[in-house]
Amino acid sequence: MTKLTHLNDAGQAEMVDVTAKSMTERVAVAEATVTMQPATLKLIMEGGHKKGDVFTVAKIAGVQAAKQCANLIPLCHPLMLTSIKVDLQADEANSRVIIQSRCKLAGQTGVEMEALTAASVAALTIYDMCKAVDKDMVIGDIRVLEKRGGKSGHWQADSVVEREHG
């Protein structure tokens, strides 16, 4: 079994030393979903929510969250992100919003945590803005879809590979 990277030889938590790692372009894509009542999704899509444009606010919250990741997750490195994208898509058939975030940089460590944080906080923002009209919303399926760069190269979640190939 592979050793956990955030534990030292004594089993104590510590930040990974990335000093000797190569600078490479690193990209991570993450996803989250917010499932809700069809009427709530319709309200969001038609722009009729009294709190304003839910998708725009959630997108901005996701971008801000990615930039704050090292302040939220104790052993994350502070990173100089060069690109953060947060996209939201209404999935009417399943009465949910699909959130995808993409973070990128040239650096010595990956950006999976930043992408996950962006997607998660965008989902939390949707929940916060819509909880008055739909208390049964469910945030779920938070996961990394893809990562590129570094020693481990390119990786995609099995479900993404299946969707692309078949």
Side-chain angles (χ1 to χ4, degrees):
M1 184 167 147
T2 304
K3 180 180 158 187
L4 294 174
T5 58
H6 286 80
L7 297 178
N8 64 19
D9 292 337
Q12 299 166 326
E14 66 179 24
M15 183 183 274
V16 174
D17 183 353
V18 297
T19 306
K21 286 179 139 189
S22 300
M23 293 277 282
T24 63
E25 180 180 285
R26 295 164 187 265
V27 178
V29 178
E31 181 177 78
T33 62
V34 183
T35 304
M36 60 193 65
Q37 299 297 323
T40 307
L41 185 57
K42 184 177 179 184
L43 185 69
I44 293 170
M45 291 172 51
E46 292 175 353
H49 198 290
K50 68 179 182 177
K51 289 189 176 182
D53 183 346
V54 175
F55 277 14
T56 298
V57 174
K59 185 181 283 198
I60 292 168
V63 169
Q64 286 182 289
K67 295 190 293 185
Q68 293 300 314
C69 188
N71 294 325
L72 300 170
I73 312 290
L75 300 179
C76 280
H77 294 86
L79 301 179
M80 292 295 296
L81 298 169
T82 57
S83 176
I84 305 166
K85 294 188 183 339
V86 179
D87 295 309
L88 294 92
Q89 181 178 356
D91 176 5
E92 292 182 79
N94 295 299
S95 191
R96 67 183 183 164
V97 176
I98 300 170
I99 302 155
Q100 282 196 357
S101 61
R102 181 180 182 273
C103 293
K104 181 178 175 182
L105 60 64
Q108 295 167 288
T109 190
V111 291
E112 298 92 345
M113 294 310 300
E114 288 72 15
L116 285 164
T117 300
S120 299
V121 170
L124 289 168
T125 301
I126 291 170
Y127 186 92
D128 179 53
M129 291 185 73
C130 298
K131 67 183 183 267
V133 296
D134 187 350
K135 293 181 183 6
D136 288 327
M137 288 179 290
V138 175
I139 295 171
D141 301 322
I142 301 169
R143 65 196 184 120
V144 175
L145 296 177
E146 180 179 9
K147 74 171 271 332
R148 281 188 275 131
K151 192 166 71 171
S152 60
H154 186 218
W155 173 88
Q156 283 185 303
D158 289 340
S159 59
V160 174
V161 173
E162 290 170 12
R163 195 170 35 218
E164 289 179 356
H165 300 290

